[in-house]
């Protein structure tokens, strides 16, 4: 079961085993469209909403590339293996660990780095948004 404060508009979640994009959030439900550009919102109770786990397949579909060599930024040098995506001047590095992934935004390292543990697609979406990047995750 998910809580409403764990979600943002635009997040992807599972409703009855089907991926849905969150379009509205109330205290007890989320609203979503069954079809793209459909005006009607359907609602699911939060206890029926499940997160979508991050998988290697999903990351590859979103053009993340798996690497097996250390990478340049000194903060994360030596992470093996890792997943990298360069998108509009930003570099994302995801450390592969059992029990989840660690998301690291490697852009503008001198101005700060975002690091957070992610297990689910909506958490990855939040981390990318936190970096101020308009990146649409493909499911």
């Amino acid at each position: 079961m998910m809580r409403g404060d764990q979600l943002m508009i635009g997040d992807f979640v599972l409703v009855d085993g089907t991926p849905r994009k969150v379009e509205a959030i109330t205290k007890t439900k989320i609203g979503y469209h069954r079809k793209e550009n459909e005006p009607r919102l359907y609602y699911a109770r939060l206890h029926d909403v499940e997160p979508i786990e991050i998988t290697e397949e999903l990351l590859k579909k979103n053009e993340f590339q798996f690497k097996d060599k250390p990478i340049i930024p000194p903060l994360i040098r030596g992470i093996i293996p890792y997943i990298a995506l360069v998108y509009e001047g930003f570099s994302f590095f995801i450390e592969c660990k059992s029990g989840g992934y660690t998301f690291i935004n490697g852009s503008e390292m001198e101005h700060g780095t975002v690091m957070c543990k992610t297990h689910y697609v909506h958490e990855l979406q939040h981390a990318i948004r936190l970096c101020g990047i308009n990146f649409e995750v493909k499911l």
Side-chain angles (χ1 to χ4, degrees):
M1 179 176 124
M2 298 193 70
R3 298 188 329 255
D5 63 354
Q6 295 174 315
L7 296 172
M8 297 171 65
I9 303 297
D11 285 351
F12 285 107
V13 294
L14 292 175
V15 177
D16 295 325
T18 303
R20 301 291 185 189
K21 187 175 186 178
V22 176
E23 301 291 345
I25 304 169
T26 71
K27 290 182 181 180
T28 59
K29 300 176 186 175
I30 62 144
Y32 62 93
H33 296 290
R34 289 187 180 161
K35 297 178 183 174
E36 200 171 319
N37 299 322
E38 178 182 40
R40 178 177 179 202
L41 278 180
Y42 294 85
Y43 287 87
R45 295 187 184 274
L46 286 169
H47 63 76
D48 294 327
V49 175
E50 297 293 328
I52 300 172
E53 286 195 35
I54 296 173
T55 63
E56 287 185 21
E57 178 183 322
L58 184 132
L59 291 169
K60 287 178 182 177
K61 186 175 186 176
N62 284 277
E63 300 180 17
F64 283 78
Q65 298 176 356
F66 287 74
K67 307 288 184 182
D68 60 359
K69 295 180 181 174
I71 49 184
I72 304 303
L75 175 67
I76 49 180
R77 182 172 293 152
I79 294 174
I80 300 174
Y82 70 93
I83 308 155
L85 171 69
V86 177
Y87 180 78
E88 293 184 2
F90 288 85
S91 298
F92 302 102
F93 303 101
I94 299 182
E95 179 183 4
C96 305
K97 286 188 172 181
S98 59
Y101 297 92
T102 301
F103 173 89
I104 302 167
N105 171 20
S107 67
E108 302 180 21
M109 295 292 261
E110 68 276 6
H111 299 299
T113 300
V114 176
M115 296 180 71
C116 57
K117 189 90 165 164
T118 58
H119 294 88
Y120 304 111
V121 171
H122 72 279
E123 295 171 333
L124 179 61
Q125 289 178 285
H126 294 185
I128 291 171
R129 286 184 200 128
L130 180 63
C131 297
I133 299 161
N134 186 18
F135 178 83
E136 186 71 27
V137 172
K138 299 174 202 128
L139 295 181

